[in-house]
Amino acid sequence: MDETRHDNAIPTTVLRDTREQRPWTFDGCAVETRDVTLSTADYAVPAACTHDSSSDTYHPRFAVERKSGDDFLTALTWERDRFTSELRRAAEWPQPLAVVVETSWETLLRNRGCMSWRDIHPNQMVGTLSAWTRHYNVAFRFFESRRRAELCAFLLLVRHSLRREQI
């Protein structure tokens, strides 16, 4: 396998969906963010997107969906139909839609933090995630802090860019 890396393989721009309410800025990651309309998810790199100029919308083939703990639980419950529609849009992607959650798995399973006031049992959450990962092209990642989740998202975008370069 060729280990040569090309300078343009590491993204210098991250596309951020304009509807993102608590956006990541990727401070310290040597990347600029550009606010655009993404058809799916919250963050992508330009090389992984096609652009529809008539609607000024970017359609990613790989992207990261950011979820706070509360957003994640809302996606499991009240906004389940909307979220599964998003999962369906990523069905044909070469890599799974990355859902990066800004709370730890342990916090959720122990009914702490954002879980403490929700009417959802951890077993329901586990069952839903298990079904979604079996039926949809999605991978979930959980982190104990917003900053760690942000760094993970950036690394996922970089890794995807490097994979594309090797193909």
Side-chain angles (χ1 to χ4, degrees):
M1 179 165 80
D2 182 12
E3 291 295 322
T4 305
R5 300 208 191 257
H6 303 283
D7 291 337
N8 62 352
I10 296 177
T12 57
T13 302
V14 171
L15 303 177
R16 178 174 56 204
D17 190 71
T18 56
R19 295 161 289 201
E20 184 65 297
Q21 295 186 6
R22 290 190 58 221
W24 289 328
T25 58
F26 302 104
D27 291 338
C29 293
V31 67
E32 73 169 307
T33 56
R34 200 167 82 211
D35 292 325
V36 301
T37 302
L38 292 172
S39 63
T40 304
D42 298 315
Y43 300 89
V45 292
C49 297
T50 57
H51 181 247
D52 179 353
S53 56
S54 64
S55 65
D56 197 21
T57 300
Y58 288 82
H59 300 281
R61 299 283 294 153
F62 175 78
V64 175
E65 172 74 15
R66 182 196 67 83
K67 292 286 184 203
S68 69
D70 289 328
D71 292 339
F72 173 69
L73 295 173
T74 299
L76 290 175
T77 56
W78 299 312
E79 292 187 6
R80 186 184 191 102
D81 291 340
R82 186 199 63 76
F83 189 63
T84 55
S85 292
E86 185 151 19
L87 297 178
R88 281 187 207 101
R89 287 194 296 273
E92 301 303 318
W93 290 3
Q95 297 292 316
L97 168 65
V99 178
V100 178
V101 183
E102 298 173 340
T103 196
S104 73
W105 185 241
E106 181 180 78
T107 296
L108 295 169
L109 290 179
R110 290 188 176 180
N111 264 341
R112 295 196 176 130
C114 57
M115 280 290 283
S116 62
W117 59 273
R118 294 295 179 118
D119 189 22
I120 181 172
H121 192 277
N123 290 348
Q124 292 171 292
M125 183 183 60
V126 170
T128 297
L129 290 183
S130 177
W132 280 350
T133 55
R134 277 193 321 272
H135 298 300
Y136 299 108
N137 188 24
V138 61
F140 292 90
R141 291 170 174 81
F142 298 86
F143 292 89
E144 66 280 358
S145 73
R146 178 176 164 84
R147 180 63 178 155
R148 286 183 185 240
E150 180 180 21
L151 291 173
C152 172
F154 179 71
L155 292 174
L156 289 168
L157 293 168
V158 167
R159 184 175 73 180
H160 179 74
S161 295
L162 291 173
R163 280 184 179 163
R164 284 180 45 89
E165 187 67 25
Q166 291 175 356
I167 295 175

